[in-house]
Amino acid sequence: MIVPINIYSDEVLRRQAVSLEGVDADIEELLGNMFETMYNAPGIGLAAPQVGRSLRLLIVDISCIREYENVKPMVVINPGILDSRGYRAMEEGCLSLPGVQGDVVRPAAINLSWRDEHFEERTGEFSGMLARVLQHEIDHLDGRLFVDRLQRRDRRKVQKELDALAEGRFSASYPVVPTSLHIGQV
Ligand code: ZN
């Protein structure tokens, strides 16, 4: 089932997500919905908070990108970045911020520990596009969005678009959770 995506100003995107203790039927259903929602958008990564679930769970599939056709889709549960190397700037976007793009500097390679869809412990080293998408999605689990990492000048460039997102003045080609009409209320 395609589920609506939470947008920029939604507080669920700002929460510290909680770790999973296992994969049950509810999580399996969530994973199925997340893949369907990501492919529909289309996107190359999606974190559970983006569909309103504050859980440390994300999916990635970059096989639609040239030279990455053989990279298998990943289910990443309770990820931890053990180590990182180098730095690289790359343009990012986000399904929760339709129409917004900006250059983000992140480590070029990471060592990651996580649990897979069977809740088996895994570790691996990632670089290039996969390292990039994984770090972007892991940020979501910590309540962080890529615009938080923009240089001040670049952030100013997208501020108008961010304001528009917060006020619900945007269009997306996929279902979204309506932006609250009560911005500013506690
Ligand atoms: Zn995102």
Side-chain angles (χ1 to χ4, degrees):
M1 189 174 68
I2 294 166
V3 291
I5 292 177
N6 295 70
I7 296 297
Y8 173 61
S9 53
D10 202 308
E11 63 88 26
V12 71
L13 296 174
R14 293 307 191 175
R15 269 188 240 159
Q16 187 74 23
V18 299
S19 295
L20 268 68
E21 284 172 12
V23 175
D24 58 13
D26 170 57
I27 297 301
E28 278 175 5
E29 188 186 349
L30 174 62
L31 280 169
N33 291 344
M34 285 174 66
F35 273 108
E36 216 177 314
T37 300
M38 180 179 75
Y39 291 136
N40 172 67
I44 54 175
L46 188 67
Q50 293 182 274
V51 293
R53 298 288 297 271
S54 195
L55 299 169
R56 301 192 78 76
L57 162 67
L58 63 91
I59 58 170
V60 170
D61 186 351
I62 61 167
S63 63
C64 62
I65 300 173
R66 253 184 67 195
E67 290 170 23
Y68 292 96
E69 290 93 345
N70 298 323
V71 179
K72 298 257 182 317
M74 281 178 81
V75 170
V76 177
I77 295 169
N78 301 345
I81 295 174
L82 306 172
D83 202 1
S84 65
R85 281 188 289 113
Y87 284 97
R88 191 173 170 190
M90 207 186 269
E91 186 173 72
E92 294 189 20
C94 180
L95 295 177
S96 292
L97 287 82
V100 180
Q101 262 115 32
D103 281 341
V104 181
V105 176
R106 298 185 189 271
I110 55 168
N111 275 317
L112 190 71
S113 72
W114 77 101
R115 286 178 184 266
D116 65 14
E117 61 272 38
H118 309 296
F119 213 64
E120 302 285 332
E121 276 189 62
R122 305 276 298 268
T123 56
E125 191 179 344
F126 300 96
S127 60
M129 183 59 82
L130 207 43
R132 171 64 47 159
V133 181
L134 284 164
Q135 290 177 88
H136 173 116
E137 300 308 332
I138 291 168
D139 265 357
H140 276 300
L141 310 185
D142 296 321
R144 208 172 293 134
L145 301 172
F146 81 87
V147 289
D148 304 342
R149 294 187 180 275
L150 294 179
Q151 292 189 338
R152 202 181 300 170
R153 179 171 43 96
D154 291 338
R155 169 76 188 219
R156 271 202 301 270
K157 270 193 241 165
V158 299
Q159 191 56 51
K160 252 194 195 140
E161 282 137 296
L162 295 178
D163 293 343
L165 287 177
E167 290 161 14
R169 292 184 285 109
F170 65 94
S171 63
S173 59
Y174 41 84
V176 300
V177 175
T179 306
S180 169
L181 300 173
H182 304 286
I183 302 293
Q185 287 191 3
V186 179

